Amino acid sequence: MTAGAVPPLDYRPINALPYWDEIGEFVNAAVADTASISGREARSLYPAAVAFVMWCWQSRGTPLERPRIFRLIVVEEFVHLGMASYARGSKATHRATLTIMVEALNPAETVRSRRAIPRSAPTKPYTHAEVAALHSWAAAQGTRRRHEDAMSLLALGLGAGLATREILGARVADLETRDDDIHVIVWEGRPRVVPVRPDWQRPLRRILADLDPAALIFRPGRTGASPGQLTDFLLRSRTELDVRPSRMRTTWLLEHLNAGTPPKELLRISGLKNFAALDKIAAFAPKTGHTSALPATSKSH
């Protein structure tokens, strides 16, 4: 355990008791270090950590070494193979917790895995019913702060098509009003000015009313931007909904295509580099209307 880490709880998992002398010290240290780095309560980490480490050590035969165990690919193996009998919600909860642990204990592995597994196909957009369910999820959050954070996540994702890191980095000062319409200024990565879709402007204005201009919009008070901050928020919301900025962004792109936004304009405000990316999104569009001709139109440029 690293210096300054949270001391381990006196945790004794029933299912792992016969093996606790073998894996207990490793699990306690991993949980304590993750709690210290991420700010999560140690007790909330133990169920996933114990089940995961025991499966790695007992079923997979992996040595009790952090670089060997805390890898995203191993987490996925555990969720699909080691949790076959678990409910979907339990799988999602364990995956989210273990992702936080990988980010805390083996950050280099997180970076390598993201580079090694690029998306070859666009993420499926949300249906109208799924967007309505996301609205209900945000409205049902237990506190005003969590409600506003959930709404800001949806407004920046579904309303402006921002990627995860852009959502985490967006500040109140990055918003500007032009002719009563709100625009988001993205400064890093893919610099651009993005108009917020009209149906998301009113919820965003309500959120901004209580925030300082220098404040982050989603989860104000954070320092820095790590994907684990979004994962942690979703984990605490205890939902089985598939809440993902990547799906929000695809939905936002498809809505613009359906509305007839010119492809060149959509490339500019989305930060995409070529028309081929829009062709992939257009595959989700209805076969009639504006979007049916988009692939041929984009290829002509």
Side-chain angles (χ1 to χ4, degrees), residues 1 27 77 83 94-95 97 101 106 127-128 130 138 158 171 180 215 231 237 251-252 261:
M1 184 169 62
V27 172
E77 285 182 18
M83 300 186 69
H94 275 38
R95 177 189 280 114
T97 299
M101 298 191 73
N106 194 9
T127 64
H128 291 301
E130 288 172 328
L158 290 168
R171 297 182 181 273
D180 292 329
T231 302
S237 71
T251 305
W252 174 82
T261 301

Side-chain angles (χ1 to χ4, degrees), residues 166-167 169-175 184 208 212-217 222 224:
E166 294 168 343
I167 291 172
R171 297 182 181 273
V172 177
D174 297 332
L175 303 182
V184 183
L208 300 177
D212 183 90
L216 292 162
I217 300 172
R222 288 180 291 113

